[in-house]
Amino acid sequence: MLDLFLAQSAFPQAMGQGVLAHYLFVSAAMFTLGLVGFLTRRNLIIMFLCTEMMFQAAGIALVAFSRYHLNYDGQTFVIFVLTVAAAEAALALALVVFLFRKRDSLSAEAWLEMKG
Amino acid sequence: MDMIVHPALLFLALAIGGVGVALSIPRRRFQASLVGGIIAATGVGLLIVGLGGSALSGDGTLPSPVFHVLAIIALGSCLQVITHRRPVYAALYFILSILATAGLYILLAAEFMAFALVIIYAGAILITYLFVIMLASQSQVEGQEEGLAEYDAVGRGPITATVASFALLAALTVLVFSGLKDIPAPDAARVAAAEMAVLDRLPGKVEKALAREGLIESGEIVVGVEEAQGVATAVVRGIGGGQRRVALPESVSVTNTEGLAFNLLGDYPGTIEIAGVILLMAMLGAVVLARKFAQIDEEAKAAAAAALAEGSTTGGQGHA
Amino acid sequence: MSLLHLLILTPLTFAVAIALAPASRARTIATIGCLVPIGPMLVALFNFDYSRGDLLQFAANIDWIPQMGLSLGVGVDSVSLLLIALTILLGPICVIGSYSAIQDNHKVFYGWLTGLQAAMVGVFAATDLVGFYISFEFTLLPLYVLINLFGSSNRKRAATKFFLYTFTGSIIALAGLVYVVLHHRGIEGAWTFDIPTLASTAMKMSAGEQALVLLALMLGFAVKVPLFPVHTWLPLAHTEAPTAGSVILAGVLLKLGTYGIYRFVLGFVPEAVIAYAPLIAVLSIVGIIYAGLICWVQKDVKKLVAYSSVSHLGFCVLGLVALNNIGLTGSVLYMINHGLSTGALFLCIGMVYERFHTRSMDELGGLAGTMPIWSSFMVFFVMASVGLPGLNGFVSEFMCIIGTFQSSPAWVLEGRAGAAGGSLGPWFAFAAGFGVIVAAMYLLYMTGRVIWGTPKHPHGHGNGHEDGHGHTPPSDLNTREIGLLSVLAVGCLVLGLYPTPVIEAIEPSVERTLAPYQDLLEARAQALMLTEGEG
Amino acid sequence: MTMFAGTLPTLLAAADGPFIATGSAPQWVALMPGLPLLGAALCVLFACLNVKSKLPGYATVALLAGGFVTALAAFLQGPDGYGVATIFRWIHASIGADADASITANFGFYMDGLSMLWMLFVTGLATVIGLYSTEYVASDKGLGYCRFFFAFNLFVFSMASLVMADNLLLLFLGWEGVGLCSYLLIGYFYKKPEAVAAAKKAFIINRIGDLGLLMAIGATFVVFGTLEFRPLFEMIAQGVDGKGQAIGHTWVVVVIPLLLTAGAFGKSAQLFFYVWLPDAMEGPTPVSALIHAATMVTAGVYLIARMFPLYAADDAMVALTVVAWCGAITAFWAATIEFAQYDIKRIMGYSTISQLGFMFAGLGLLGTTGAVFHVFTHAFFKATLFLCCGAVMHGFGGQLSLRRLSGVMWMKGFGITGVCMFIGCLSLSGVPFTAGFFSKDMILAQAFATPDEMIGGATFIGLLLLLTATMTAYYTFRVFFRVFVGPRHFEPGEDDHGHDDGLGHDAHAHHHHNPTEEEEGDALHTGFHPHAPGWAMNGAMVLLAVGTILVASLYFVNKKEDHGWAGTMVRHSTAAYPSPGLAHGKDKPAATTVEPLPLGAPAPEHGQAGKPHAKAGTFLGQDPFKIMYYVSAVLGLIGILAAAWFHAPKGAWGLGIGNRELPSKVRMDAVAARFGPIPKWAENKWYVDELYHAIIVKPLLVLSHVFHAFDKLVIDGLVDLVGALPRWLGTLLRPSQSGVLHGYATGMVAGSAVLIVLVVLVAMWS
């Protein structure tokens, strides 16, 4: 039963393009959702969360391609994505804390120094 | 442009999805999360149906039903992340989406990545997020009756954002769906050779497997794996020093973790170093940035110095 | 690696050394760095084969991006050699002349000044378009810094305007140059940036293309010269620049424009030059008289000399578009002479400014009594600038005017003994001649106000230290200053009394530049004769 | 061409074509400009060494004397020494691929009679006046002394270069060089604003004329292909240009001479250009004497005399007619102004303009000999007059007004000055047997001898010149009678020595305020004592006065052959020309002889074939060259008598008719009063300066201001506008920068979408 669910195709076997398309669509949709979130939410933390979501979407696409091509490069790349995401999370959250201390607010709109 | 999904269907589905997402964004007056979610799900469903149809008519492969479940969970929780007014819930939904994604990774036979994702993302990063959310929101809550900040309660320009984002999505999907068929299928020989190269570097594993299968005797050592007459064979050295070849049985295969490990550490050792440096720098940066009162001290110092200087000059003049 | 690479790299090395060394040593290093290239320069001057001044000598090539035909090629013909000599000569004069004027920030000042030296030599030495253009643009940066940090009150605006104005011009010129390169690639199918090679193919462009390229190049180089309607950056930059900056600006940087016209406009697009020479000449003449008259109503001595540069370089361009040997030779000679005499004038003004902290003619006066040595030098250089025969200015000015006079097609048609090709004529020379009168007017007006008359005590003069002791009259020039001015004065005198070697050195290069013009001008004269016959 | 074909043989047959020095002159003639140049260098050296003695002055005099000796030596060689001496190559530039065609200007010296004559009086007078100056500017020892003698030396060098140049460009060098020295020396008293202004004016007005000269040089070069005199005059003698084309009847012989004339008029202060010369009297008097009377201002005459073949090559004599008329008008015009002037130095200045007008008239009337001789004599007597004026000025604290001086000759120490002045005045007035008498007569006679057909209105010019000669006698003796004779009286001028030069001035002035030596003078100025000229000044004046007397005798040297020594010199120069009525050689008696055809005269077929086309004119039916002695003598005496009647004091020096008793009260005042404002106008020089100011200087100044404003506002404004355009555009686009992160992010997303769509579209399209 589990086999039926899991093994759409056993590992060394090639994955069909149709299946790949599904994964890519999920990836793109998740990316777009992250994007929409980034653009609409005003809480800095949520905005960063949305960027993480976009990372994840990219991860799905990479892993899907890795599976399709039957090599590990895509997954290796996801590890780097994870690294960068972790680094980004650390820095971004530190920044958020820093900014929050300055303005006592998490709103991205509290920062308008770049206004022309 | 030849697409695997009819463009009309694609754009319709995306439009429906867009409307749904736009609806579910928090607004000042209302938030139609549920309605929006349903509409968005309709759009996604429409497209997945279309995709499934084209996949069936194409190479006839279809993702397993588990995929559909996980995809719905992932996308749904993502929608919640971006629409939920309370950051804590958003973070929690994000964890849910991570879990669903990890499931998708397993479906893609990337077990290592699935677990790494759960550990790193759900276990480490998101927890940090939760901490920060709580840390940063605490003082905010005191002033606010409802406990909900205005910037959390109201989304910014949902229509513009959705239109721009879905336009990008449309562009991306068009590219993906029209270009997908040009992606070549993996070359079986090359894949096999790569696998053999990995096995070649894992003589112990091969030896164990062969011993378990009883294909070699104890005392014999596997020195390598290479291809012979189109079949993957293990090169076995006997006790006397003589070598022979043993065809590898089906059960001897490279696991995901092994393959990934060799790929990562064998093919990209430099980059892993760089990744380490990035993490180190991020750590240092985070420490520097988050150091409390550093900036305030500087400012205070400058102000105090200015005040002192002014006082001394006026004082000096007064004396003169 | 050739002598020329050495000449470029030496100042550059010293500039880097200044940047690295402590600030207290900057001045010494800069002095050495500017004096050292005199050695290789002399070697170059003595080893140059003047009889073949048209050839690129001391040529050397360092490949850079061979696939694109890019290389750092250097080589000089006689014109470039003389201009490099001028640059090398003015270098130490600027550095030593700034000893007392620049009080702090030595590293920045001397570092950039020395770096500028390298860039200017690079412009004249480059045989490669890219090398030329890089050097050409790089000259902007040091001067921008010098004006911006060491200028007078309005220096920021002056520096920005100087930079943006000339940079805009150069970009337009670049478009023209790039077009020539692309055209070459279109014909020959290979990339090259070698200037002589490009010149030979550029001449094959159609008349329309040539006109466009001429327009682009002239726009760029005219700004640099500067020619009449695009000159307004110069007075501002000069007024605000520190003395050394003014000297270099007037002495060498303006010559980049005329050198560009000589090398690229005249070298690349002969047909268009013949067609548009009268127009350019009219602009030059308008500039000569217009700027001269503006000089006449200036209150600021330095601004007056700055406008006079506009006027003087009008003669230079006029000589270039005369398109005959005398005009071109005179024009090249003018580049050198103007560098000497106007550079010296700026130096003189700087020396007075150091003492009185003013350049206003209302506040200065009667310096002949208080500073006789300075006044003697000033009168000398004013006379050189006025174009007094026996001094350098005259020879070149005269040759430019005679060249213009000669360059009428009518003379050729009439078969005059002294006829030489061209598309100007006596009326142009006559109009330009008024510039000679105007030059006397404004320069003597300035002399009358500043040198003669009763001594005045400018308000700005002296700082607190001197005020404490009452009015100490500023001292006359010291030995260092006398030495600097003497060098230039000797140059002026020698070039005025014995210019023949220089003229003869320039001639081969000029003849090569004019070689493509002979046939074109003859054809043009014949066409004129036909139309006249019909008319 | 046909006309020319007839003229050419006549030309070649003419025995007296332009003399072209063909040989080579000795190299040592270069000492003439060389020694003063050395002197100038020495003065620079002295200035550097801070010499405070009269050493620079004496060194200058010694070197100038050396120059004079060189000139004498060259002169004594006679015509054999005439030729070209090339010292070194100055400018040489080829004009084309053809190596032969080149513009060449060497430091080369063209020695012929004309340059010889000029060099003799230039070096001679410079030596004497240099001697005079050693004392005159002595109060500036250590201050401007070196500067003065530097410029003085440089002047002599430049003048020598001008006169001896073997090409037009070297001539131009000298031409501008004398202008520079004139500028430096007029502005010698640089603290006087008038002196500075005068110096500037002189230089600039000269420059205007120089433009003409420069254009003439250009045209000459284009037409003849050379600037060197020898080939140039060879071509002109043959009537061809550099390519062998005939030049007669073309613009060449009209335009080039007219352009040269413009240059000559600028330098010699003629017609429109005269305004600078009176102002130039602000300079030290020796300078006025040497530069602005004797030598530099005659450079214009020299130029025309030198280029005379080109002028004469024109059949219609257009340029010469212009020269003659302008000269005569200037002579008369300047004389009218003199009537109402009171500054004795300015009177001498205007007199110089007037006399230069005579010389130009003489040249224009084809009488080169007369003109050149007048240059020579004028140099002597005008220098004498100036030096005497200078002695007065030096002695009376810069006083120059003839209303405030009287009986100077009778004051202690001024006797020599008075006598010399008298001699000079006699000569300028043209009293018989003085130098001025003979030389002026030649010009006057020439005016009547030259037929009107050759020079339009020659007779009228003659009458005008006769009138001017009478006026000259009047105004000359007006000065003499009022200033030098009569009751002793003076009011010292405002400053010592006519200048004010810092520290030296105070010490010097103090020295003279010595009441015990008070002998005579105005009660109002008891502190002032006249400062009589010393040995150097007296010596110089005497030398010149004697010279003035002696040069008269030159008229009788070679009288038969060449009409005087000057004629001999002119005959051996490019200025040689068979003046109508004044043929050369004893076989051609004057006036009755058939006059040889001038260069480029109308072709025989137009005139009477084979016969002279015009006879020399007559004056009252007599040979003008004979009768003019009497006419001009009578007229001169009339002028002197008029001066005596109006201005002379009572007694013997008033010739018995004078009645002046007070320094400033004369009969003339009553006469002048009858003319209403006219004398006032004349005193103000007919307001020509004001007119120039109003119609040239002022508009030009306004134009300059307009240009300046235009440059600032319009041209630079446009530039700034272009510069402001991006800024303005930026302001427009500025609101798009909301400063909110989301705005940028949305832009980025939309931008990426657009880019991808574009890529897709491009991919589809291609």
Side-chain angles (χ1 to χ4, degrees), chain D residues 540-551:
Chain D
M541 283 188 285
V542 169
L543 270 176
L544 282 182
V546 170
T548 306
I549 296 168
L550 289 183
V551 291

Side-chain angles (χ1 to χ4, degrees), chain C residues 161 231 307 436 453 496 500 507, chain D residues 90 94 190 207 222 711 716:
Chain C
K161 191 164 187 169
H231 63 273
Y307 268 112
V436 181
T500 309
E507 267 169 358
Chain D
W90 177 31
S94 67
Y190 60 84
R207 274 254 154 164
V222 165
D711 202 53
D716 205 24

Side-chain angles (χ1 to χ4, degrees), chain C residues 413 525-535:
Chain C
L413 289 183
Q526 271 165 4
L528 272 177
M529 200 169 350
L530 280 179
T531 44
E532 244 174 46
E534 286 163 12

Side-chain angles (χ1 to χ4, degrees), chain B residues 101-259:
Chain B
T101 309
L104 288 176
Y105 281 9
I106 289 176
L107 282 185
L108 288 167
E111 308 95 63
F112 180 82
M113 284 319 303
F115 291 109
L117 194 69
V118 172
I119 293 166
I120 295 174
Y121 253 114
I125 299 180
L126 258 295
I127 297 305
T128 322
Y129 267 94
L130 280 171
F131 271 121
V132 172
I133 288 167
M134 290 166 190
L135 194 72
S137 315
Q138 205 166 15
S139 63
Q140 193 68 30
V141 175
E142 286 170 12
Q144 296 266 334
E145 283 289 325
E146 209 191 328
L148 197 63
E150 201 264 344
Y151 53 79
D152 277 330
V154 182
R156 190 177 189 282
I159 308 288
T160 328
T162 319
V163 168
S165 304
F166 275 80
L168 186 63
L169 178 62
L172 284 174
T173 42
V174 165
L175 279 186
V176 168
F177 291 164
S178 57
L180 204 58
K181 62 179 180 303
D182 299 333
I183 302 175
D187 177 10
R190 199 177 50 77
V191 172
E195 194 169 344
M196 252 187 298
V198 173
L199 285 177
D200 187 38
R201 294 153 87 175
L202 287 170
K205 174 187 162 94
V206 178
E207 202 176 293
K208 249 182 237 165
L210 290 182
R212 196 164 55 237
E213 298 269 335
L215 291 171
I216 57 170
E217 293 154 28
S218 67
E220 277 179 326
I221 307 162
V222 172
V223 286
V225 177
E226 56 182 37
E227 192 214 294
Q229 286 104 39
V231 191
T233 56
V235 181
V236 181
R237 196 170 61 199
I239 303 157
Q243 286 194 348
R244 65 185 178 98
R245 291 168 185 279
V246 178
L248 285 179
E250 277 293 306
S251 63
V252 181
S253 65
V254 180
T255 62
N256 172 258
T257 315
E258 285 163 356

Side-chain angles (χ1 to χ4, degrees), chain C residues 140-416:
Chain C
L140 293 183
L141 202 56
L143 206 63
Y144 174 80
V145 174
L146 292 188
I147 296 177
N148 204 357
L149 294 182
F150 301 91
S152 321
S153 50
N154 200 12
R155 56 180 188 267
K156 303 257 181 243
R157 184 177 140 75
T160 312
K161 191 164 187 169
F162 157 74
F163 192 96
L164 287 182
Y165 206 148
T166 47
F167 187 70
T168 312
S170 322
I171 289 293
I172 299 171
L174 179 65
L177 294 175
V178 165
Y179 187 87
V180 171
V181 171
L182 290 177
H183 176 261
H184 176 88
R185 185 167 147 73
I187 290 184
E188 304 286 332
W191 290 102
T192 183
F193 292 89
D194 182 50
I195 294 171
T197 318
L198 286 176
S200 57
T201 41
M203 285 173 200
K204 294 173 193 151
M205 288 193 290
S206 71
E209 284 176 304
Q210 290 207 6
L212 273 178
V213 171
L214 174 105
L215 186 72
L217 293 182
M218 272 313 285
L219 264 173
F221 294 129
V223 170
K224 201 87 180 180
V225 169
L227 213 52
F228 159 59
V230 288
H231 63 273
T232 48
W233 64 270
L234 183 72
L236 188 65
H238 262 316
T239 326
E240 301 300 328
T243 302
S246 289
V247 173
I248 285 286
L249 186 57
V252 185
L253 283 181
L254 303 189
K255 311 307 173 320
L256 301 189
T258 45
Y259 177 76
I261 295 176
Y262 176 76
R263 187 64 85 224
F264 297 107
V265 178
L266 295 190
F268 280 7
V269 285
E271 265 181 69
V273 169
I274 291 174
Y276 289 94
L279 183 70
I280 300 169
V282 165
L283 285 180
S284 310
I285 291 166
V286 170
I288 291 170
I289 293 168
Y290 173 87
L293 284 176
I294 289 177
C295 283
W296 197 28
V297 294
Q298 291 304 314
K299 290 267 176 275
D300 185 326
V301 186
K302 209 173 178 189
K303 208 165 192 173
L304 187 148
V305 180
Y307 268 112
S308 87
S309 280
V310 179
S311 183
H312 280 140
L313 283 163
F315 280 108
C316 200
V317 176
L318 189 65
L320 285 177
V321 292
L323 299 180
N324 51 42
N325 274 29
I326 293 185
L328 249 70
T329 311
S331 181
V332 174
L333 199 57
Y334 209 119
M335 295 180 205
I336 298 158
N337 288 335
H338 179 264
L340 291 178
S341 53
T342 306
L345 279 179
F346 277 119
L347 212 55
C348 284
I349 292 167
M351 289 168 184
V352 157
Y353 185 71
E354 274 175 48
R355 287 166 171 77
F356 292 95
H357 304 289
T358 180
R359 291 185 307 248
S360 166
M361 280 189 245
D362 293 334
E363 292 181 41
L364 295 171
L367 291 180
T370 45
M371 298 174 67
I373 303 176
W374 178 86
S375 303
S376 311
F377 276 116
M378 188 73 182
V379 170
F380 180 88
F381 291 120
V382 160
M383 286 303 158
S385 199
V386 164
L388 190 81
L391 298 179
N392 57 350
F394 170 71
V395 183
S396 40
E397 201 165 275
F398 171 77
M399 288 178 77
C400 286
I401 290 180
I402 289 291
T404 311
F405 201 104
Q406 283 183 308
S407 94
S408 166
W411 298 140
V412 181
L413 289 183
E414 291 172 20
R416 293 292 176 188

Side-chain angles (χ1 to χ4, degrees), chain D residues 6 77 140 283 494 575 577 673 676 699:
Chain D
Q77 283 192 313
D140 283 351
E494 287 164 0
Y577 186 78

